[in-house]
Amino acid sequence: KRAAKRNANCDCLEAECSSQYASCELDAECVNLIECACDCPSYDEDCALACVTPYLGNPNALAVGVCGGNQGCWSLKKKKAVK
């Protein structure tokens, strides 16, 4: 399986939802969600959520989706540079 390109939303999921992310990686359908979401541009909430929605019937995908929502991974905003 090819490693997905990283983005800020993916890094958040892997860091904040590590157990759900690990379970998702063992589920072929859920891997599609991760690869889709990780291919989105960083901070693109609409793109990331469009990847989650088709898989909400999958328990592993739902767990990642809910955790990502609770941790703010889907709605990450780019941090403004502090001067």
Side-chain angles (χ1 to χ4, degrees):
K1 94 184 177 183
R2 104 189 143 74
K5 182 176 65 187
R6 311 308 297 162
N7 68 24
N9 308 76
C10 255
D11 292 341
C12 177
L13 282 180
E14 205 165 8
E16 303 298 331
C17 303
S18 56
S19 64
Q20 295 92 332
Y21 191 94
S23 296
C24 188
E25 286 190 305
L26 300 175
D27 179 318
E29 189 176 55
C30 200
V31 165
N32 290 336
L33 179 162
I34 289 178
E35 288 185 348
C36 176
C38 292
D39 281 342
C40 289
S42 289
Y43 314 111
D44 187 338
E45 183 176 3
D46 291 337
C47 181
L49 290 176
C51 293
V52 175
T53 305
Y55 299 105
L56 291 179
N58 176 308
N60 291 314
L62 181 62
V64 167
V66 169
C67 179
N70 290 342
Q71 297 299 328
C73 296
W74 304 120
S75 56
L76 281 179
K77 300 289 181 250
K78 193 168 189 172
K79 291 181 176 68
K80 291 184 172 68
V82 179
K83 293 186 178 184

PDB file of all heavy atoms in Angstrom, residues 11-20 67 71 73:
ATOM      1  N   ASP A  11      -1.574  14.776  10.147  1.00  0.00           N
ATOM      2  CA  ASP A  11      -0.654  14.778  11.286  1.00  0.00           C
ATOM      3  C   ASP A  11      -1.440  14.884  12.588  1.00  0.00           C
ATOM      4  O   ASP A  11      -1.115  14.219  13.575  1.00  0.00           O
ATOM      5  CB  ASP A  11       0.339  15.944  11.176  1.00  0.00           C
ATOM      6  CG  ASP A  11       1.311  15.768  10.011  1.00  0.00           C
ATOM      7  OD1 ASP A  11       1.467  14.633   9.521  1.00  0.00           O
ATOM      8  OD2 ASP A  11       1.908  16.773   9.609  1.00  0.00           O
ATOM      9  N   CYS A  12      -2.486  15.690  12.582  1.00  0.00           N
ATOM     10  CA  CYS A  12      -3.345  15.842  13.763  1.00  0.00           C
ATOM     11  C   CYS A  12      -4.024  14.517  14.095  1.00  0.00           C
ATOM     12  O   CYS A  12      -4.013  14.077  15.246  1.00  0.00           O
ATOM     13  CB  CYS A  12      -4.381  16.937  13.505  1.00  0.00           C
ATOM     14  SG  CYS A  12      -5.573  17.172  14.849  1.00  0.00           S
ATOM     15  N   LEU A  13      -4.589  13.861  13.093  1.00  0.00           N
ATOM     16  CA  LEU A  13      -5.254  12.577  13.326  1.00  0.00           C
ATOM     17  C   LEU A  13      -4.296  11.567  13.916  1.00  0.00           C
ATOM     18  O   LEU A  13      -4.626  10.857  14.864  1.00  0.00           O
ATOM     19  CB  LEU A  13      -5.802  12.011  12.010  1.00  0.00           C
ATOM     20  CG  LEU A  13      -7.083  12.591  11.469  1.00  0.00           C
ATOM     21  CD1 LEU A  13      -7.432  11.881  10.170  1.00  0.00           C
ATOM     22  CD2 LEU A  13      -8.220  12.464  12.465  1.00  0.00           C
ATOM     23  N   GLU A  14      -3.111  11.473  13.326  1.00  0.00           N
ATOM     24  CA  GLU A  14      -2.145  10.478  13.777  1.00  0.00           C
ATOM     25  C   GLU A  14      -1.700  10.773  15.208  1.00  0.00           C
ATOM     26  O   GLU A  14      -1.498   9.865  16.010  1.00  0.00           O
ATOM     27  CB  GLU A  14      -0.944  10.450  12.830  1.00  0.00           C
ATOM     28  CG  GLU A  14      -0.245   9.126  12.839  1.00  0.00           C
ATOM     29  CD  GLU A  14       0.707   8.943  11.676  1.00  0.00           C
ATOM     30  OE1 GLU A  14       0.957   9.893  10.910  1.00  0.00           O
ATOM     31  OE2 GLU A  14       1.216   7.820  11.557  1.00  0.00           O
ATOM     32  N   ALA A  15      -1.559  12.054  15.548  1.00  0.00           N
ATOM     33  CA  ALA A  15      -1.104  12.437  16.884  1.00  0.00           C
ATOM     34  C   ALA A  15      -2.222  12.348  17.929  1.00  0.00           C
ATOM     35  O   ALA A  15      -2.020  11.818  19.022  1.00  0.00           O
ATOM     36  CB  ALA A  15      -0.539  13.857  16.852  1.00  0.00           C
ATOM     37  N   GLU A  16      -3.400  12.869  17.592  1.00  0.00           N
ATOM     38  CA  GLU A  16      -4.480  13.001  18.577  1.00  0.00           C
ATOM     39  C   GLU A  16      -5.420  11.803  18.628  1.00  0.00           C
ATOM     40  O   GLU A  16      -6.127  11.620  19.611  1.00  0.00           O
ATOM     41  CB  GLU A  16      -5.305  14.263  18.294  1.00  0.00           C
ATOM     42  CG  GLU A  16      -4.493  15.552  18.268  1.00  0.00           C
ATOM     43  CD  GLU A  16      -3.819  15.859  19.591  1.00  0.00           C
ATOM     44  OE1 GLU A  16      -4.352  15.464  20.650  1.00  0.00           O
ATOM     45  OE2 GLU A  16      -2.742  16.495  19.567  1.00  0.00           O
ATOM     46  N   CYS A  17      -5.446  11.016  17.560  1.00  0.00           N
ATOM     47  CA  CYS A  17      -6.377   9.876  17.475  1.00  0.00           C
ATOM     48  C   CYS A  17      -5.596   8.606  17.136  1.00  0.00           C
ATOM     49  O   CYS A  17      -6.017   7.815  16.290  1.00  0.00           O
ATOM     50  CB  CYS A  17      -7.414  10.147  16.392  1.00  0.00           C
ATOM     51  SG  CYS A  17      -8.335  11.682  16.640  1.00  0.00           S
ATOM     52  N   SER A  18      -4.453   8.416  17.796  1.00  0.00           N
ATOM     53  CA  SER A  18      -3.529   7.355  17.384  1.00  0.00           C
ATOM     54  C   SER A  18      -4.145   5.961  17.412  1.00  0.00           C
ATOM     55  O   SER A  18      -3.929   5.178  16.487  1.00  0.00           O
ATOM     56  CB  SER A  18      -2.242   7.396  18.214  1.00  0.00           C
ATOM     57  OG  SER A  18      -2.549   7.317  19.584  1.00  0.00           O
ATOM     58  N   SER A  19      -4.943   5.640  18.433  1.00  0.00           N
ATOM     59  CA  SER A  19      -5.503   4.285  18.482  1.00  0.00           C
ATOM     60  C   SER A  19      -6.543   4.082  17.386  1.00  0.00           C
ATOM     61  O   SER A  19      -6.574   3.038  16.729  1.00  0.00           O
ATOM     62  CB  SER A  19      -6.083   3.971  19.863  1.00  0.00           C
ATOM     63  OG  SER A  19      -7.165   4.819  20.154  1.00  0.00           O
ATOM     64  N   GLN A  20      -7.385   5.103  17.155  1.00  0.00           N
ATOM     65  CA  GLN A  20      -8.388   5.001  16.094  1.00  0.00           C
ATOM     66  C   GLN A  20      -7.712   4.959  14.723  1.00  0.00           C
ATOM     67  O   GLN A  20      -8.130   4.222  13.833  1.00  0.00           O
ATOM     68  CB  GLN A  20      -9.351   6.200  16.151  1.00  0.00           C
ATOM     69  CG  GLN A  20     -10.204   6.252  17.396  1.00  0.00           C
ATOM     70  CD  GLN A  20      -9.581   7.064  18.513  1.00  0.00           C
ATOM     71  OE1 GLN A  20      -8.364   7.193  18.622  1.00  0.00           O
ATOM     72  NE2 GLN A  20     -10.420   7.630  19.361  1.00  0.00           N
ATOM     73  N   CYS A  67     -13.332  11.210  16.413  1.00  0.00           N
ATOM     74  CA  CYS A  67     -12.164  11.674  17.155  1.00  0.00           C
ATOM     75  C   CYS A  67     -11.561  12.896  16.467  1.00  0.00           C
ATOM     76  O   CYS A  67     -11.239  13.888  17.119  1.00  0.00           O
ATOM     77  CB  CYS A  67     -11.126  10.563  17.257  1.00  0.00           C
ATOM     78  SG  CYS A  67      -9.653  11.084  18.149  1.00  0.00           S
ATOM     79  N   GLN A  71     -11.157  16.476  18.270  1.00  0.00           N
ATOM     80  CA  GLN A  71      -9.813  17.030  18.459  1.00  0.00           C
ATOM     81  C   GLN A  71      -9.553  18.240  17.558  1.00  0.00           C
ATOM     82  O   GLN A  71      -8.484  18.836  17.614  1.00  0.00           O
ATOM     83  CB  GLN A  71      -8.745  15.954  18.184  1.00  0.00           C
ATOM     84  CG  GLN A  71      -8.801  14.776  19.122  1.00  0.00           C
ATOM     85  CD  GLN A  71      -8.572  15.171  20.574  1.00  0.00           C
ATOM     86  OE1 GLN A  71      -7.839  16.098  20.882  1.00  0.00           O
ATOM     87  NE2 GLN A  71      -9.233  14.468  21.491  1.00  0.00           N
ATOM     88  N   CYS A  73      -9.236  18.185  14.308  1.00  0.00           N
ATOM     89  CA  CYS A  73      -8.357  17.869  13.176  1.00  0.00           C
ATOM     90  C   CYS A  73      -8.972  18.260  11.834  1.00  0.00           C
ATOM     91  O   CYS A  73      -8.258  18.649  10.915  1.00  0.00           O
ATOM     92  CB  CYS A  73      -8.021  16.379  13.152  1.00  0.00           C
ATOM     93  SG  CYS A  73      -7.063  15.832  14.585  1.00  0.00           S
TER      94      CYS A  73
END
